[in-house]
Amino acid sequence: MAMGRPRAFDADAALDQAMEVFWRHGYEGATIAQLTEAMSINPPSLYAAFGSKEGLLKAALDRYTAKRNCWMEGILSAPTAREVAERMLVGTADTQTDPANPPGCLLVQGGLACGTGSENVPFELAARRAETENQLRDRFVRAKAEGDLKESADPAALARYLSAVNAGMGVMASSGADREALRQVAAVSVKAFEEQSNS
Amino acid sequence: MAMGRPRAFDADAALDQAMEVFWRHGYEGATIAQLTEAMSINPPSLYAAFGSKEGLLKAALDRYTAKRNCWMEGILSAPTAREVAERMLVGTADTQTDPANPPGCLLVQGGLACGTGSENVPFELAARRAETENQLRDRFVRAKAEGDLKESADPAALARYLSAVNAGMGVMASSGADREALRQVAAVSVKAFEEQSNS
DNA sequence: CCATAAATGTAGTGAGCGCTACAAATGTGG
DNA sequence: CCACATTTGTAGCGCTCACTACATTTATGG
């Protein structure tokens, strides 16, 4: 049997372009016209490949979180909980103000609240944020077992705290905070960790 | 000369209803149909009173920030910087999970990124958030002058930090974090302040 | 070289959007 | 009680939205 005409565009490259549009305008603010233009394809190609606007978002998020998990590996491999926190927050300050991307974090910018019919989108983004939080929590459970965090420290609370600061930095970056400002936030935030660390 | 037919609805009560819709669905996710239904008026009344959807948002934000400034007075009157931080963050944990309102903060939920033509909305929200940050900064400048904060403390950085945590808690609340979880975040956050305080 | 299968580009579709024209209703000033 | 100014409800405007029908093109299997 025949295999059909092959796809003429690179799906991953197209997803990177779509990611940028969602990042800059949010899910609801991004239009199919903007997406197809950025991806250099026509609507039927988009729908054949990704099914729907929401399907395209999920595919873009998969790609985003894949990169992010890779980035997180470098963070989580830090020797102590305090250094995990520092690398994470300083790294966030830098990536969220990287001129190569829109400011802020796609998982926050994408949409915290959506209109009727798109209620799934905020859930989807929240689930991806939760993944990072869980990675941090697991790392801090280990840090506690290793005696790196005090006996009184709560790994889940610390992970939630880092996740909150991370999201907050995303909000500030999206409204124009520069790298220096975010690094100051990171520096103050890390102090909360020193209280929880052994020496 | 004649004065014209009087308005048949209470503008402030209508704004409270509009506020809730924007809060729950974001600026772009909220439709005129939803807004008018919640406000119990018809579109012409909305446009006569507020000019446009964006005008309605601004009017709702004015009302929101008026309440917020009132709330902030109670926060800023705390005797020390550390207590300002604690009251603020714990208060945020409570108000952002108050079942009387949609979860999170309108100034964050409203829209961080918008479509072409609504670029003003994120700016508007950011400006209101910045107002709170400035109030905090001024308060910490005073705290430093009073010797309540260490000589090495940076009031602007501390205000920015609180603002970031606040926004971050809004993000988490909007994705379902409960009061207990946010209070834990507040508790950890406050520790960063103890490092900056004199005894 | 032909039959088949899938992707492409053109050109729309119905639905829902923000917003408004218009006539009727309702108050005030003289 | 009348002339006027403004609001109200009905109905619908033009536009843009996410999405798709369809004919064409481009590959593969036999």
Side-chain angles (χ1 to χ4, degrees):
Chain A
M1 49 172 155
M3 296 285 273
R5 178 175 175 175
R7 178 177 288 158
F9 65 95
D10 176 1
D12 284 338
L15 278 178
D16 282 337
Q17 298 306 311
M19 193 189 299
E20 149 126 17
V21 175
F22 283 131
W23 202 331
R24 180 156 278 128
H25 295 293
Y27 175 74
E28 294 194 306
T31 69
I32 298 292
Q34 288 174 323
L35 290 163
T36 52
E37 186 184 343
M39 299 165 85
S40 302
I41 60 175
N42 292 309
S45 297
L46 190 160
Y47 283 89
F50 306 107
S52 66
K53 186 184 177 185
E54 196 171 325
L56 174 62
L57 175 71
K58 285 183 185 168
L61 288 179
D62 284 341
R63 206 166 151 72
Y64 183 84
T65 53
K67 289 181 190 174
R68 186 190 181 88
N69 283 339
C70 190
W71 182 76
M72 279 299 289
E73 275 185 35
I75 305 291
L76 296 170
S77 69
T80 67
R82 190 201 161 284
E83 275 186 72
V84 168
E86 180 163 28
R87 279 195 205 177
M88 165 111 179
L89 294 176
V90 174
T92 294
D94 289 354
T95 58
Q96 291 190 347
T97 56
D98 183 345
N101 299 320
C105 171
L106 172 59
L107 301 187
V108 174
Q109 292 275 101
L112 301 177
C114 277
T116 311
S118 304
E119 296 90 349
N120 249 34
V121 170
F123 276 153
E124 192 71 30
L125 296 172
R128 316 267 178 161
R129 292 194 302 268
E131 194 184 344
T132 301
E133 185 180 319
N134 288 337
Q135 291 168 341
L136 288 169
R137 188 202 54 213
D138 293 347
R139 179 64 185 82
F140 293 153
V141 167
R142 194 188 103 199
K144 194 170 169 182
E146 289 171 349
D148 169 33
L149 281 174
K150 284 184 183 169
E151 203 55 37
S152 62
D154 179 346
L158 291 174
R160 201 149 41 218
Y161 166 72
L162 272 193
S163 193
V165 173
N166 208 62
M169 286 171 69
V171 172
M172 307 203 74
S174 86
S175 52
D178 63 18
R179 183 166 293 182
E180 182 61 26
L182 293 190
R183 282 187 174 169
Q184 287 182 351
V185 171
V188 175
S189 302
V190 168
K191 307 227 174 189
F193 258 78
E194 291 169 359
E195 284 263 345
Q196 314 275 333
S197 299
N198 281 324
S199 88
Chain B
M1 50 174 154
M3 298 282 275
R5 178 173 174 174
R7 177 178 288 158
F9 65 95
D10 177 0
D12 283 338
L15 279 178
D16 282 337
Q17 299 305 312
M19 194 189 299
E20 150 127 17
V21 176
F22 283 131
W23 202 331
R24 181 156 277 127
H25 294 293
Y27 175 74
E28 294 195 306
T31 69
I32 297 293
Q34 288 173 324
L35 290 164
T36 52
E37 187 184 344
M39 299 165 84
S40 302
I41 60 176
N42 292 309
S45 297
L46 191 161
Y47 284 89
F50 306 108
S52 66
K53 185 183 178 186
E54 196 172 324
L56 174 62
L57 174 71
K58 285 183 185 170
L61 288 178
D62 285 342
R63 207 167 148 74
Y64 183 83
T65 53
K67 290 181 190 171
R68 186 190 180 87
N69 283 339
C70 189
W71 182 75
M72 280 297 290
E73 274 185 36
I75 305 291
L76 297 171
S77 69
T80 66
R82 190 202 161 287
E83 275 186 73
V84 167
E86 181 163 26
R87 278 196 206 177
M88 165 110 179
L89 294 176
V90 174
T92 294
D94 289 354
T95 57
Q96 291 190 346
T97 56
D98 183 345
N101 298 320
C105 170
L106 172 60
L107 301 187
V108 173
Q109 292 274 100
L112 300 176
C114 277
T116 312
S118 305
E119 296 90 348
N120 248 34
V121 170
F123 276 153
E124 192 71 29
L125 295 171
R128 315 267 179 163
R129 293 193 301 268
E131 195 185 343
T132 300
E133 186 179 319
N134 288 337
Q135 290 168 342
L136 289 169
R137 189 202 53 212
D138 293 347
R139 178 65 184 82
F140 294 152
V141 166
R142 194 187 103 197
K144 196 171 168 184
E146 290 172 348
D148 169 34
L149 282 173
K150 284 185 183 170
E151 202 54 39
S152 62
D154 180 346
L158 291 174
R160 200 149 42 218
Y161 167 72
L162 272 193
S163 194
V165 173
N166 208 63
M169 287 169 68
V171 172
M172 306 201 75
S174 86
S175 52
D178 62 18
R179 183 166 293 184
E180 183 61 26
L182 292 190
R183 282 188 175 169
Q184 286 182 352
V185 171
V188 176
S189 302
V190 168
K191 308 227 174 190
F193 259 79
E194 290 169 359
E195 284 262 346
Q196 313 276 333
S197 298
N198 281 323
S199 88

